[in-house]
């Protein structure tokens, strides 16, 4: 009689531990880059004498290529090899960061930020798919995905802390320079720890039309969302851009239906709970990242905090992320991902709603700290549990795509949330000024209104999370490819 033996723990080995550290360091580098530049923008503007319109492209340029190319990056990891794409993305980030640090004119700096976004779009899905395919055993998988989810929230919050400290310390250029030695270390370690998967060569025609439609649609969508608060949501240009983005994405879906070698095999959405997990990630990320945006503005513009003080205001947030992420890795195997995600989203929404009561003459301990820590606790639980749920049941050859879908949803959520909530905030502030309120009171009223809606958006994640799969982190059975796809491949 044959006996079933449990797969040995890779995480228990020295190589397994080093692999997890490596992949989470890559993720941390990407997540930090999304926020570390924010507190350096005033210093960059002063030194380079940039207009506000030019300055915003330092952030917008990164978001465009990061969000727009993520889907392509994930699929390339599946088709060309995860290690190869991970190294390519890391190299691009390292070179682009050095170029940004040495830049003495806005064109080079903005161009470098576009390049950083390209590198991140390749690096992040390749790293996450490498993690999900390396750690297959149940407890290993749960722990590894838990650490990854915690690193995501920690990186976003730590970027604000590091950005403030570095800008007032060695200067804003080091916000970019710090990436280069980290990227160099990663490039040295990746070939030693991540096995080559070059057998995933593209042996048939690549979906060029699908790539153009998806990339163009996503980039145009992110661009329209970022620019809408300044131009106005009802402006002709904004409406046309959104309509064109919708048309490109609709064309992309139609194209994927009709060809045998799609960029995004739509069969992936047959994985139970995948779409719900992506939507949940989008909603909670929209709420949390909008919190960073408005609370940072409130701390600096209303409370008068400097860069370092504003950044350090998020230290308890980061600490809470670390603690709760570790706790969540213990809760998921016991209760499953669905209940943890539902409760986490509700808690995150409640924390943001607490912050929507900030007064003009507020204090950190009374008015900011409780909401920040509650939001951090809820967000950490969501990102750990939901990342695990989003990767459950995904076949190894679709792991990069699943990672890209989750992170694309997150980036679109951030862009959409900040764009819509900025419009709400500005509208409220203008209304208050028209009624004769003092500027600081009017500005605070705008922030309160935006945070109110941010809390509601995050809390909606608890509703969508009800449709996610409830896994306890066990290794999922691979999803078989539909037979029709194999026939189509043989005929192509």
């Amino acid at each position: 009689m044959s006996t079933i033996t449990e797969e040995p723990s890779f995480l228990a080995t020295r190589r397994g531990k080093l692999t997890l550290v490596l992949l989470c360091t890559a993720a941390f580098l990407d997540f930090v880059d999304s926020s570390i530049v924010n507190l350096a923008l005033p210093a960059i503007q002063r030194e380079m004498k940039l207009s506000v319109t030019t300055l915003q492209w330092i952030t917008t340029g990164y978001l465009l290529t990061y969000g727009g190319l993520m889907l392509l990056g994930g699929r390339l990891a599946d088709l060309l090899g995860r290690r190869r794409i991970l190294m390519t993305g890391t190299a691009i980030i390292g070179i682009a960061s050095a170029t940004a640090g040495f830049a003495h004119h806005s064109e080079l700096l903005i161009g470098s930020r576009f390049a950083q976004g390209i590198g991140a779009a390749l690096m992040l899905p390749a790293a996450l798919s490498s993690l999900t395919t390396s750690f297959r055993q149940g407890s290993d998988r749960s722990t590894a995905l838990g650490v990854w989810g915690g690193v995501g929230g920690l990186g976003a919050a730590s970027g604000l802390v590091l950005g403030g400290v570095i800008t007032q310390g060695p200067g804003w250029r080091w916000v970019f320079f710090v990436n280069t030695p980290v990227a160099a270390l990663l490039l040295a370690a990746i070939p030693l720890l991540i096995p080559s998967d070059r057998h995933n060569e593209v042996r048939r025609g690549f979906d060029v039309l699908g790539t153009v439609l998806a990339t163009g649609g996503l980039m145009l969508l992110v661009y329209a969302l970022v620019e809408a608060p300044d131009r106005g949501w009802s402006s002709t240009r904004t409406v046309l851009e959104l309509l064109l983005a919708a048309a490109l994405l609709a064309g992309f879906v139609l194209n994927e239906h009709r060809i045998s070698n799609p960029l995004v095999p739509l069969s992936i959405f047959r994985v139970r709970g995948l779409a719900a997990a992506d939507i949940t990630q989008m909603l909670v990320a929209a709420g949390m990242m909008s919190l960073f945006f408005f609370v940072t503005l409130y701390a600096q513009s209303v409370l008068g905090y400097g860069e370092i003080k504003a950044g350090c205001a998020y230290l308890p947030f980061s600490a809470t992320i670390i603690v709760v992420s570790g706790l969540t890795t213990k809760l998921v195997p016991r209760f499953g991902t669905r209940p943890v995600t539902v409760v986490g989203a509700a808690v995150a929404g409640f924390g943001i709603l607490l912050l929507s009561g900030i007064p003009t003459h507020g204090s950190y301990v009374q008015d900011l700290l409780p909401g920040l820590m509650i939001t951090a606790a809820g967000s950490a639980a969501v990102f750990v549990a939901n990342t695990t749920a989003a990767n459950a049941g995904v076949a190894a050859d679709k792991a990069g795509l699943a990672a890209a879908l989750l992170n694309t949803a997150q980036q679109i959520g951030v862009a959409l949330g900040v764009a819509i909530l900025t419009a709400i905030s500005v509208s409220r502030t203008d209304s208050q000024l028209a009624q004769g309120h003092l500027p600081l009171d009017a500005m605070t009223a705008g922030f309160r209104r935006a945070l109110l809606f941010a809390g509601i958006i995050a809390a909606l994640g608890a509703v969508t999370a009800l449709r996610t799969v409830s896994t306890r982190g066990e290794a999922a059975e691979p999803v078989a490819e539909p037979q029709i796809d194999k026939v189509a491949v043989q005929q192509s």
Side-chain angles (χ1 to χ4, degrees), residues 65-83 85-86 118-130 197 200 206 215 218 262-265 268 394-408:
T65 49
Y66 189 25
L69 295 172
M70 185 81 70
L71 203 58
L72 175 61
R75 194 59 179 141
L76 287 177
D78 289 334
L79 295 174
L80 300 179
R82 286 176 279 274
R83 188 175 82 174
I85 298 302
L86 179 58
I118 294 171
L122 295 174
M123 185 184 192
L124 191 63
L128 180 53
S129 58
S130 294
D197 50 349
N200 290 334
F206 190 71
T215 303
L218 288 171
L263 176 69
V264 178
I268 194 172
V394 177
D397 65 340
K398 300 292 188 298
L401 177 57
L405 287 170
L406 184 68
N407 287 288
T408 298

Side-chain angles (χ1 to χ4, degrees), residues 41-405:
L41 291 176
I44 296 173
Q45 184 179 29
R46 287 193 298 270
E47 181 173 325
M48 291 193 170
K49 299 179 174 57
L50 304 180
S51 66
V52 174
T53 302
T54 302
L55 185 70
Q56 74 167 348
W57 276 101
I58 296 174
T59 300
T60 303
Y62 181 84
L63 288 175
L64 276 181
T65 49
Y66 189 25
L69 295 172
M70 185 81 70
L71 203 58
L72 175 61
R75 194 59 179 141
L76 287 177
D78 289 334
L79 295 174
L80 300 179
R82 286 176 279 274
R83 188 175 82 174
R84 186 183 303 176
I85 298 302
L86 179 58
M87 293 188 70
T88 301
T90 303
I92 292 173
I93 287 179
I95 295 170
S97 297
T99 304
F102 284 116
H104 288 282
H105 55 81
S106 61
E107 290 82 1
L108 182 58
L109 178 57
I110 292 170
S112 298
R113 287 291 283 167
F114 273 97
Q116 275 188 315
I118 294 171
L122 295 174
M123 185 184 192
L124 191 63
L128 180 53
S129 58
S130 294
L131 183 143
T132 57
T133 53
S134 296
F135 299 94
R136 297 175 177 274
Q137 194 261 348
S139 59
D140 281 7
R141 187 178 180 87
S142 176
T143 301
L145 286 170
V147 173
W148 175 281
V151 164
L154 178 64
S158 298
L160 296 170
V161 179
L162 294 172
V165 172
I166 293 173
T167 300
Q168 283 198 348
W172 67 264
R173 294 182 183 278
W174 284 92
V175 166
F176 301 107
F177 283 144
V178 293
N179 288 341
T180 302
V182 177
L185 288 173
L186 289 173
L187 285 172
I190 289 170
L192 301 177
L193 294 172
I194 306 299
S196 175
D197 50 349
R198 293 190 177 212
H199 59 279
N200 290 334
E201 298 284 352
V202 179
R203 294 187 174 90
R204 47 197 168 107
F206 190 71
D207 181 12
V208 176
L209 179 58
T211 300
V212 171
L213 290 171
T215 303
L218 288 171
M219 291 183 71
L220 185 57
L221 175 61
V222 174
Y223 175 74
L225 293 174
V226 170
E227 293 289 304
D230 291 329
R231 293 204 205 115
W233 285 90
S234 60
S235 70
T236 302
R237 185 169 175 180
T238 298
V239 172
L240 288 176
E241 286 172 351
L242 290 173
L243 288 175
L244 181 56
L248 289 172
L249 293 175
F252 167 70
V253 173
L254 291 174
N255 180 72
E256 303 308 277
H257 267 295
R258 71 176 184 80
I259 65 173
S260 61
N261 58 325
L263 176 69
V264 178
L266 298 180
S267 60
I268 194 172
F269 291 106
R270 297 175 193 162
V271 176
R272 189 165 61 92
L274 176 64
D278 291 342
I279 295 171
T280 300
Q281 191 89 353
M282 180 177 69
L283 292 171
V284 176
M288 189 186 83
M289 296 303 290
S290 297
L291 175 154
F292 291 157
F293 182 77
F294 292 107
V295 169
T296 301
L297 286 176
Y298 170 74
Q300 292 186 291
S301 303
V302 178
L303 300 183
Y305 288 10
E307 287 94 341
I308 290 181
K309 190 174 182 180
C312 288
Y314 293 101
L315 283 174
F317 189 102
S318 300
T320 304
I321 288 279
I322 294 173
V323 172
V324 177
S325 295
L327 178 62
T328 305
T329 63
K330 307 299 182 184
L331 294 176
V332 165
R334 183 174 180 181
F335 298 103
T337 53
R338 186 190 298 135
V340 174
T341 305
V342 169
V343 172
V347 170
F350 175 69
I352 301 172
L353 289 174
L354 278 183
L355 289 166
S356 68
I358 50 175
T360 304
H361 303 288
S363 70
Y364 175 73
V365 173
Q366 181 176 339
D367 301 304
L368 289 181
L369 186 59
L372 286 174
M373 293 188 71
I374 291 172
T375 305
S379 300
V382 170
F383 292 143
V384 170
N386 195 58
T387 301
T388 303
N391 286 278
V394 177
D397 65 340
K398 300 292 188 298
L401 177 57
L405 287 170

